[in-house]
Amino acid sequence: MIPASLIARALSRLLSHDDAARKLLAAHRGETLQVRTPPFALTLRVTDAGDFAAVEGAASADDVSCSVEFPLTSLPLLAQGKEAALRSAKVAGKAALLQDVSKAFSSLPLAAEAELERVVGPILANEAVRFLRALKALGDNARESLHEAGKRYLHDEAQLVAERDDVAKFAADIQRLRIDVQRLQARVAKLA
């Protein structure tokens, strides 16, 4: 696994490009965020400057301000975007810290391009980012296509899902039958 100190330095380096994000995180100075995907755990502390510092060793539950646990089964959801992955996460502690970290991370793709530009130059960095965006768009399109195809199959081909009008008609028929049964019971009671 990648050392926590290396991850903290990389995130801090990327955050150095966005003063607003660092100011947002600086409001949480001293708080810790733990991200777990069993058996791995990463604990980061927010510094006074709005950066991250690694917390080495196992942090106790009392030392962690916010804890986010992603089950291993949620890893494929990362391809669908952070919202899908966060829906499967178990969050404990201060949700405000997690919200502000999420807001701060929204500027990271631009910062990553700037850092990549320093290493390989502006043209290659731009092309690499365009390639990654195209790859993400391809994944999004594939996800949408699979979703639509699955929905059409369940509805039209396998007929496992009823249409709204059919369900409404069925409910009305059941209601009518219930009323008819009540009338029949009333007539039988009168005859008895």
Side-chain angles (χ1 to χ4, degrees):
M1 183 164 158
I2 301 172
S5 59
L6 184 62
I7 293 172
R9 280 198 316 260
L11 290 174
S12 295
R13 178 78 181 190
L14 292 174
L15 284 169
S16 70
H17 293 273
D18 190 353
D19 290 335
R22 291 174 64 212
K23 191 178 289 184
L24 182 67
L25 289 176
H28 298 282
R29 67 181 56 89
E31 294 182 9
T32 55
L33 172 68
Q34 185 177 62
V35 180
R36 290 187 316 246
T37 300
F40 305 109
L42 170 70
T43 306
L44 301 171
R45 182 177 310 281
V46 180
T47 65
D48 293 340
D51 294 332
F52 288 108
V55 175
E56 297 299 333
S60 69
D62 296 335
D63 296 337
V64 176
S65 304
C66 182
S67 173
V68 183
E69 183 174 339
F70 294 99
L72 284 176
T73 56
S74 71
L75 290 181
L77 296 176
L78 289 175
Q80 296 178 12
K82 71 178 182 182
E83 290 82 16
L86 282 176
R87 278 194 298 269
S88 69
K90 296 176 187 167
V91 179
K94 296 182 179 180
L97 173 62
L98 185 61
Q99 288 174 339
D100 287 347
V101 167
S102 180
K103 286 178 193 172
F105 281 5
S106 66
S107 67
L108 288 188
L110 295 175
E113 182 177 357
E115 285 296 317
L116 190 59
E117 187 175 300
R118 287 185 25 187
V119 176
V120 297
I123 295 172
L124 283 177
N126 189 344
E127 289 301 315
V129 168
R130 277 187 46 214
F131 173 74
L132 291 175
R133 285 187 183 134
L135 200 59
K136 182 184 181 306
L138 182 68
D140 290 345
N141 288 341
R143 179 176 45 91
E144 286 297 320
S145 294
L146 279 173
H147 176 72
E148 285 299 316
K151 193 165 69 171
R152 263 187 262 121
Y153 173 76
L154 287 174
H155 186 267
D156 298 337
E157 299 295 328
Q159 295 181 347
L160 295 175
V161 179
E163 290 190 33
R164 287 182 192 251
D165 295 338
D166 293 339
V167 171
K169 184 179 178 294
F170 178 73
D173 289 345
I174 294 293
Q175 180 69 13
R176 197 172 313 112
L177 180 63
R178 187 180 62 78
I179 292 171
D180 290 344
V181 167
Q182 287 175 347
R183 286 182 186 156
L184 183 62
Q185 286 175 339
R187 283 186 185 169
V188 169
K190 256 185 175 179
L191 292 174

